[in-house]
Amino acid sequence: IVRRLGMLGVFPLPERERKIWIFDQRVNDRGIPVNVPFVHKAYALASREKAEKLKKQNELTGLQNANSPVQMLAWVREQGYIANSLRKGAVSAELKYNDQLTPIGREALEARSAASSTTYKKLSAILRQVSLDGRLRNQFVYMGSSRCGRWSGNAVQLHNLARPEERFEDPNNMNLLRSLIHKENYDGIKESFPVVKDGVSHPGSVLLCIKSAIRTAFETGISMRFDICDLGAIETRVSAWVSGCQSLLDVFLSGRDPYLDFAVKMTGIPYEILARDIKSKDPAIRAAAKAIRQMAKPAVLGCCYRLGGGQMGIDYKTGDPVKQGLWGYAEGYNVEMSKEKAHELVRVYRESYKEICQMWYALEKAVAEVLDPKTVDVRRELGPNGCIKISKINIEGRGPILRIQLPSGRYLHYIGAELQEVKMPWEDRDGQEVYRETLTYSGIDQTTKQWKMGITSHGGKL
């Protein structure tokens, strides 16, 4: 407390930020009500299946510990496995594309995939963190992101609760699942929610069902109401506003869903039909409309940051092939998208929202002018009413700090910023390496969490 008071004495919070911080403390102190008995039962059921899946792996492979990546990787290599690691994406790709896998190798990898789910451990985090009065407190960290001042999560990480499976969006299915969890009916969950594979019904996965029910562990009393707040389509909304993209702003002004609106451009199906079908009582019609919206969502979210269509690259940590660009980004949303489709959607996005693309280049040009070593005090302003202000702080012997003031008044700082010729992660049409003048700076590497020189950025990221 003394240290923090000392810091605030030197770096006092602006009044607006102090008001936000006080509000944040009220939210954290109030907490979120949790159904603790439900969490205990759900965690016990998930732990039981986890143990069974691990036991099955050991029996299939004959290994002492099939959960050991070293032991398991050596064994599956003998079964025709090609990848260099057992990370989720690599295993998924092998099961989907490798026809050289032996049947027992495929079965063991499927068992490993089923057992690899760790989402249920969030239940354990809830039990560790919950207060004696059944409320979960102190889960939001004000300015937890030291770089841009965004909130971050603590312990339970409420900002990334698992998305329920499609079938559990039906309240009847969710209520049945919750009833079975309350009764601790392990076999009942497997029988009630089977998995259909190649037209054959198999017992369902308790782990995946529990994953879908985690959000329902937060319950209010009868006399209370949950207010769940989020910034709606914030990336799309702000990119449209900052760049002055009126066609996209009109989507919000008219109350339309931006993902459905892009789906119209993607499919040619009228907006009214998609909006109607997504609320249809017919499960097949509703599922088809939701699948179209899900395809559009990663394109709208990713393309404003200048994502390309993508190609197959190499994971520098494992050496495994990895999808890049929108192709790989969509996979992170569990959206099946071909490489050709990813490239097509990038083209459609850039043709539809040209102002956003122009903003990428405007930002790069402004940064280049500010960082020009022949200049001392060049400033550039972009966006509505010049709400984005770009300047630099010259420090003798250390290189300049690029400073970008955000519309909120907060600043982003890029230490040791300069423009360098950097090799691009693609080749030209003749197969030659491509080099471009690129913003580089020093900061924390997002993968290693270590200080690193030569981090690159571009207009899309900015």
Side-chain angles (χ1 to χ4, degrees):
I1 292 171
V2 169
R3 181 177 66 85
R4 292 197 174 206
L5 285 173
M7 286 176 64
L8 285 170
V10 179
F11 303 109
L13 280 176
E15 185 56 30
R16 177 175 180 273
E17 297 290 355
R18 178 172 171 77
K19 286 178 180 177
I20 296 171
W21 176 72
I22 289 171
F23 166 76
D24 164 81
Q25 294 302 294
R26 284 205 305 272
V27 172
N28 272 317
D29 289 346
R30 181 172 294 161
I32 304 160
V34 176
N35 186 328
V36 176
F38 177 84
V39 175
H40 273 292
K41 291 171 182 177
Y43 183 67
L45 290 166
S47 299
R48 175 179 167 182
E49 182 168 75
K50 179 80 170 183
E52 288 183 5
K53 295 287 186 186
L54 292 176
K55 182 180 178 183
K56 183 179 180 181
Q57 279 189 73
N58 289 339
E59 292 171 350
L60 284 170
T61 61
L63 296 172
Q64 185 176 0
N65 178 17
N67 201 38
S68 161
V70 175
Q71 291 183 36
M72 187 66 174
L73 184 57
W75 184 86
V76 291
R77 283 265 173 81
E78 296 173 358
Q79 310 302 319
Y81 190 80
I82 299 172
N84 297 314
S85 74
L86 290 170
R87 65 180 182 80
K88 182 180 177 181
V91 172
S92 176
E94 290 282 307
L95 288 171
K96 193 178 295 183
Y97 304 117
N98 186 351
D99 56 7
Q100 302 300 312
L101 276 173
T102 63
I104 191 171
R106 183 171 294 277
E107 188 179 356
L109 284 171
E110 287 173 346
R112 180 181 180 83
S113 293
S116 65
S117 175
T118 57
T119 308
Y120 77 99
K121 291 188 176 179
K122 200 175 283 282
L123 297 166
S124 174
I126 292 172
L127 294 174
R128 287 197 306 272
Q129 294 285 321
V130 71
S131 301
L132 292 176
D133 63 355
R135 283 184 174 240
L136 189 62
R137 294 183 166 87
N138 302 313
Q139 296 302 303
F140 306 107
V141 183
Y142 170 72
M143 288 228 175
S145 166
S146 60
R147 179 136 182 77
C148 63
R150 278 168 43 152
W151 266 272
S152 66
N154 178 41
V156 179
Q157 304 291 336
L158 291 167
H159 60 285
N160 67 352
L161 292 170
R163 179 193 179 100
E165 286 184 35
E166 172 80 24
R167 57 183 164 179
F168 292 115
E169 290 184 11
D170 181 336
N172 294 323
N173 284 340
M174 182 58 83
N175 288 335
L176 173 58
L177 174 58
R178 283 174 50 79
S179 173
L180 292 168
I181 292 172
H182 276 295
K183 294 173 183 175
E184 299 176 89
N185 191 339
Y186 183 81
D187 294 327
I189 295 174
K190 288 191 163 193
E191 292 165 8
S192 300
F193 303 104
V195 174
V196 178
K197 184 180 177 183
D198 299 326
V200 180
S201 183
H202 301 273
S205 167
V206 173
L207 276 167
L208 292 180
C209 288
I210 297 295
K211 173 182 174 180
S212 293
I214 289 176
R215 295 185 184 203
T216 73
F218 304 103
E219 294 182 29
T220 67
I222 292 172
S223 62
M224 291 185 284
R225 183 187 72 197
F226 247 139
D227 285 340
I228 302 172
C229 307
D230 190 14
L231 296 170
I234 190 64
E235 302 91 347
T236 309
R237 196 180 300 264
V238 172
S239 61
W241 176 73
V242 160
S243 63
C245 182
Q246 193 59 47
S247 62
L248 193 46
L249 288 170
D250 287 342
V251 171
F252 293 104
L253 288 168
S254 63
R256 297 200 302 275
D257 179 322
Y259 310 131
L260 276 186
D261 190 79
F262 186 75
V264 173
K265 298 175 172 58
M266 188 176 83
T267 65
I269 301 172
Y271 184 91
E272 293 72 23
I273 292 177
L274 287 172
R276 179 199 67 198
D277 288 354
I278 212 161
K279 295 179 180 178
S280 172
K281 292 183 179 179
D282 185 320
I285 293 175
R286 186 171 67 247
K290 283 192 172 184
I292 292 172
R293 184 180 184 274
Q294 277 301 104
M295 179 76 74
K297 187 172 183 178
V300 173
L301 289 174
C303 287
C304 71
Y305 299 124
R306 206 175 177 178
L307 268 185
Q311 58 190 349
M312 192 61 78
I314 299 296
D315 186 320
Y316 77 92
K317 288 191 294 185
T318 65
D320 290 334
V322 60
K323 296 175 183 176
Q324 298 175 326
L326 178 59
W327 189 28
Y329 184 70
E331 191 172 61
Y333 277 84
N334 294 317
V335 172
E336 286 284 342
M337 183 184 292
S338 68
K339 182 168 75 169
E340 293 72 25
K341 188 68 174 179
H343 282 269
E344 178 195 341
L345 294 185
V346 169
R347 178 186 59 77
V348 171
Y349 184 93
R350 294 183 180 185
E351 288 178 357
S352 301
Y353 309 128
K354 289 184 171 65
E355 296 90 344
I356 290 176
C357 304
Q358 291 163 2
M359 190 63 172
W360 304 334
Y361 306 123
L363 282 163
E364 288 179 347
K365 182 174 182 287
V367 166
E369 291 171 352
V370 167
L371 288 179
D372 187 333
K374 297 189 291 292
T375 65
V376 177
D377 192 25
V378 173
R379 297 170 184 267
R380 291 290 181 266
E381 296 183 357
L382 295 91
N385 299 317
C387 63
I388 299 168
K389 297 174 175 60
I390 304 176
S391 60
K392 69 180 174 185
I393 304 169
N394 291 300
I395 301 178
E396 192 173 345
R398 293 192 60 182
I401 295 176
L402 177 69
R403 186 168 75 167
I404 301 179
Q405 185 176 15
L406 304 175
S408 66
R410 291 176 176 177
Y411 287 97
L412 296 178
H413 293 87
Y414 299 79
I415 297 173
E418 60 180 331
L419 298 177
Q420 295 183 336
E421 288 289 318
V422 175
K423 180 178 176 293
M424 297 294 103
W426 67 79
E427 298 175 342
D428 64 18
R429 292 179 180 177
D430 300 322
Q432 300 298 309
E433 293 180 345
V434 177
Y435 285 81
R436 285 188 180 173
E437 191 175 59
T438 304
L439 168 63
T440 65
Y441 63 96
S442 300
I444 300 294
D445 185 284
Q446 293 301 302
T447 303
T448 65
K449 306 303 179 187
Q450 301 296 311
W451 188 262
K452 177 183 176 181
M453 298 174 67
I455 298 173
T456 62
S457 192
H458 56 75
K461 286 184 179 179
L462 294 176

